[in-house]
Amino acid sequence: MTQHPTIATRVTKEVVGIYQPGSTHMVGDGFPVRNLFPSNDLDGAVDPFLMLDYAGPQYFSPTDHPRGVGEHPHRGFETVTIVYEGVVAHRDSAGNAGVIGPGDVQWMTAASGVVHEEFHEKEFAKRGGTLHAIQLWVNLPRASKMSAPRYQTILNADIPAIDLDGGGELRVIAGSFQGQKGPAHTFTPIQLYDLQLKAGAPASLLFPDGHNTSIFVLQGSISVNGSSEAREAELIVCRRNGSQVAVEARKDSRLLIMSGEPIDEPIARYGPFVMNTKAELVQAVQDYQAGKMGHLS
Ligand code: MN
C-alpha cells in the first residue's frame, strides 16, 4: 500500500447531543422563557456561552403598563438579546438605553457591573402582540470580567445577510461568513449567525477546530451531518474537535448558530453574577448592595 498524500478534507464536528428545554419560567412578567442551558448542565460544551433563554413566541394583550423585568444587576459577562417579534426596551445604570425590534440585537457588556431593566416597549405594549426573542449570556475571560460596561445596539440593517444560493439567508451577527463580517464587537472569538433555510436546503458551515459549536432550532426541523435530527426548541451540541457542520432543513427553518473559542476557566455563578470564584461572587453581591453598580436614574 502506498501512503496517499495528505488531502485537505475537513473534519466533521460530530453531534454530541440534542437537548430539549430543561426548565420553563417567567422572567419578570414579560418574558416566558424556556431555558436550554445552564439547565442541561452543558457548561464545558457550550463555553463561552453561559445561558440561553428562549422567550415565547407568546401573545400579550394590550396594556398601558408594559410587562418586563425591573431593576436588577449583572457582573462578569455579556447579555445578548435577539428579537424576532415584538419590541423590547432597555435602560441601564451606565447611561445606556435602547429599543430593539424584529431583526435587531442588543449586546450589553455588563463586565464590572451594571443595573438595568428590560421591558416590552411602551407602544408595543399598548398595541399588544407577539413577543419572540432569545437572550444569550456570553462569558468574559477573567482578564475582562472587571472591565468597563459597554453597550452595542445592532440594528437589522447593520447585519449582513448572505443569500445561500436561493436556499435561505444567513445573517452574520458576530464573526464572519464567506468574508462578510458581523457588526458585534466581542472579547473572545465568536461566531453568531441567524440562519433561515427553506425546506430541503443545505448549508455547509465552517468553524475553527477546537471551538464549541451549537445550533438552536427556533422553527422547523433540521438534520445535522446527515443523520442527527432536531426539531423546534431543541439544541444540537457539536464536539470541539473538527470544523465542518452540514445542516439540511427538513422544513422551512430558523436557527441560531452559536460558536466560540472556549474560555476554559472556572465558572462560579450566583443569579445575575458569573465570576471565576466564590469569593468574587461574594464581592459582587457586596458591591451591588453598596450601590457600586449604580442605579437607574
Ligand atoms: Mn438582565
Side-chain angles (χ1 to χ4, degrees):
M1 292 289 285
T2 53
Q3 198 74 29
H4 287 284
T6 306
I7 299 165
T9 46
R10 284 170 173 144
V11 177
T12 296
K13 269 187 182 293
E14 303 292 349
V15 172
V16 291
I18 297 174
Y19 300 88
Q20 296 181 338
S23 75
T24 300
H25 60 278
M26 281 296 285
V27 178
D29 64 357
F31 303 99
V33 303
R34 287 177 274 178
N35 179 272
L36 275 299
F37 55 83
S39 59
N40 279 303
D41 287 327
L42 297 172
D43 278 3
V46 293
D47 178 5
F49 303 99
L50 292 166
M51 191 202 79
L52 195 171
D53 268 350
Y54 182 40
Q58 184 168 308
Y59 176 78
F60 287 89
S61 57
T63 176
D64 288 329
H65 304 283
R67 300 172 181 95
V69 52
E71 186 169 331
H72 62 278
H74 291 293
R75 172 181 279 181
F77 60 97
E78 303 180 289
T79 68
V80 177
T81 307
I82 305 163
V83 174
Y84 298 90
E85 288 177 85
V87 186
V88 175
H90 156 100
R91 199 160 71 89
D92 71 36
S93 55
N96 297 303
V99 170
I100 53 168
D104 300 339
V105 176
Q106 174 206 88
W107 201 295
M108 186 194 78
T109 305
S112 63
V114 295
V115 168
H116 77 158
E117 60 176 29
E118 299 157 279
F119 279 96
H120 296 189
E121 186 270 335
K122 214 173 152 192
E123 294 305 316
F124 166 69
K126 258 186 195 166
R127 286 195 306 275
T130 299
L131 190 282
H132 189 198
I134 281 180
Q135 188 167 86
L136 198 57
W137 288 7
V138 179
N139 205 3
L140 293 172
R142 182 183 280 113
S144 303
K145 279 187 179 292
M146 292 300 284
S147 61
R150 180 167 87 177
Y151 186 79
Q152 302 172 68
T153 298
I154 300 168
L155 298 177
N156 187 21
D158 303 328
I159 300 174
I162 294 137
D163 177 70
L164 302 174
D165 299 324
E169 185 183 87
L170 186 148
R171 299 171 68 239
V172 187
I173 300 166
S176 61
F177 181 79
Q178 293 181 357
Q180 297 257 38
K181 239 172 105 38
H185 296 282
T186 65
F187 283 76
T188 59
I190 281 171
Q191 283 159 285
L192 188 64
Y193 304 150
D194 171 22
L195 174 58
Q196 289 176 270
L197 282 178
K198 292 175 185 163
S204 179
L205 306 171
L206 285 176
F207 304 97
D209 184 36
H211 282 204
N212 279 324
T213 303
S214 56
I215 301 171
F216 180 67
V217 182
L218 287 101
Q219 180 204 323
S221 146
I222 60 168
S223 73
V224 179
N225 299 333
S227 55
S228 303
E229 288 194 38
R231 287 169 298 188
E232 205 171 304
E234 291 185 332
L235 179 81
I236 300 105
V237 177
C238 298
R239 68 172 183 186
R240 289 186 185 186
N241 178 251
S243 59
Q244 180 157 290
V245 178
V247 177
E248 192 177 322
R250 300 276 198 220
K251 301 175 183 171
D252 287 355
S253 298
R254 190 160 197 174
L255 316 170
L256 181 70
I257 316 280
M258 295 155 275
S259 190
E261 182 181 271
I263 293 172
D264 273 338
E265 289 176 0
I267 294 172
R269 296 174 186 255
Y270 181 72
F273 308 125
V274 184
M275 304 300 290
N276 297 115
T277 67
K278 268 192 179 167
E280 289 165 346
L281 291 177
V282 170
Q283 188 66 52
V285 171
Q286 285 173 358
D287 287 352
Y288 169 56
Q289 288 171 347
K292 290 183 182 170
M293 296 182 190
H295 293 286
L296 292 179
S297 49

